[in-house]
């Protein structure tokens, strides 16, 4: 939040290296790891992701997590599998994967999907028994959504965000009141 160029580069690299036909971008309406809520509304995050994915034939936006309930990854995976999508590969950063055993129903999740873990220097993780993991290494991008939000809050629009998404952020004046966050 917001989607940025590193997200897209990682998705392209994963699709290329692992011959993935489609990458689903799934904005979370109510992520459990952010109890205070996201910095942009769900509708705005969906629209920013749609704009970022335009022109990328392998990228698709999924609104599967919309609604008022907390969204857990296992529930999303189960919905996708029930819809006939699968087998599924879960693209995740090494820092998040390092905490996978703290996630809701994590054992079910590791049985349901294969993981592509995006590595970066200094990020260590252990693979839980039963998990299938492939590594995506060699992508050295330093962008972070929190840094981008801070820059946008201060009026700096020289951020690594796709041009259509940045245009939407400007038009909607997103992140402008979040300088202290």
């Amino acid at each position: 939040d917001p989607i940025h160029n590193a997200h897209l580069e990682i998705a392209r690299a994963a699709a290329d290296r692992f011959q993935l036909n489609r990458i689903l971008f799934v904005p979370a309406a109510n992520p459990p790891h952010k109890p205070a809520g996201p910095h942009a509304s769900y509708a705005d995050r969906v629209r920013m992701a749609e704009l970022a994915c335009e022109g990328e034939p392998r990228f698709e936006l999924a609104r599967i997590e919309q609604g008022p309930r907390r969204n857990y990854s296992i529930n999303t995976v189960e919905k996708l599998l029930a819809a006939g999508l699968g087998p599924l590969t879960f693209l995740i950063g090494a820092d998040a994967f390092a905490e996978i055993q703290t996630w809701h129903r994590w054992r079910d999740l590791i049985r349901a999907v294969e993981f592509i873990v995006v590595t970066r220097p200094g990020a260590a993780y252990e693979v839980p028994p039963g998990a299938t993991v492939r590594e995506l290494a060699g992508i050295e991008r330093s962008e972070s959504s929190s840094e981008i939000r801070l820059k946008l809050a201060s009026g700096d629009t020289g951020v690594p965000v796709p041009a259509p998404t940045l245009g939407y952020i400007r038009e909607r004046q997103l992140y402008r009141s979040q300088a202290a966050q």
Side-chain angles (χ1 to χ4, degrees):
D1 179 15
I3 189 168
H4 54 72
N5 293 344
H7 293 135
L8 301 173
E9 181 181 334
I10 289 166
R12 282 186 205 99
D16 292 344
R17 290 186 197 173
F18 300 107
Q19 294 79 47
L20 304 176
N21 297 325
R22 177 170 44 172
I23 302 283
L24 289 178
F25 286 82
V26 184
N30 295 294
H33 59 283
K34 294 185 181 181
H39 298 277
S41 72
Y42 175 72
D44 285 330
R45 287 179 293 114
V46 165
R47 185 64 185 136
M48 287 186 284
E50 283 176 333
L51 291 166
C53 291
E54 283 180 353
E56 296 279 357
R58 295 177 294 184
F59 293 0
E60 184 178 324
L61 185 96
R63 290 178 180 84
I64 198 159
E65 289 195 357
Q66 64 188 357
R69 296 179 55 199
R70 284 271 178 234
N71 301 115
Y72 296 99
S73 295
I74 185 59
N75 301 121
T76 302
V77 165
E78 288 173 341
K79 288 178 191 176
L80 293 169
L81 291 171
L85 300 173
L88 298 175
T89 302
F90 195 116
L91 184 58
I92 186 171
D95 51 346
F97 190 74
E99 298 177 0
I100 197 78
Q101 293 182 61
T102 67
W103 290 22
H104 178 68
R105 294 182 49 209
W106 69 271
R107 287 181 180 89
D108 293 332
L109 183 62
I110 66 170
R111 283 191 293 270
V113 301
E114 174 180 277
F115 292 91
I116 294 175
V117 177
V118 182
T119 63
R120 66 173 151 187
Y125 63 90
E126 291 184 27
V127 177
T132 302
V133 172
R134 296 189 282 174
E135 284 192 351
L136 178 59
I139 301 181
E140 303 295 326
R141 299 290 299 250
S142 61
E143 290 96 329
S144 82
S145 295
S146 57
E147 290 173 7
I148 291 170
R149 286 192 303 271
L150 285 173
K151 286 183 177 184
L152 291 167
S154 70
D156 182 354
T157 56
V159 293
V161 173
T165 303
L166 183 57
Y168 181 83
I169 290 169
R170 286 178 179 158
E171 174 188 312
R172 302 275 299 177
Q173 298 183 1
L174 301 177
Y175 312 107
R176 292 295 303 211
S177 63
Q178 300 177 6
Q181 297 181 7

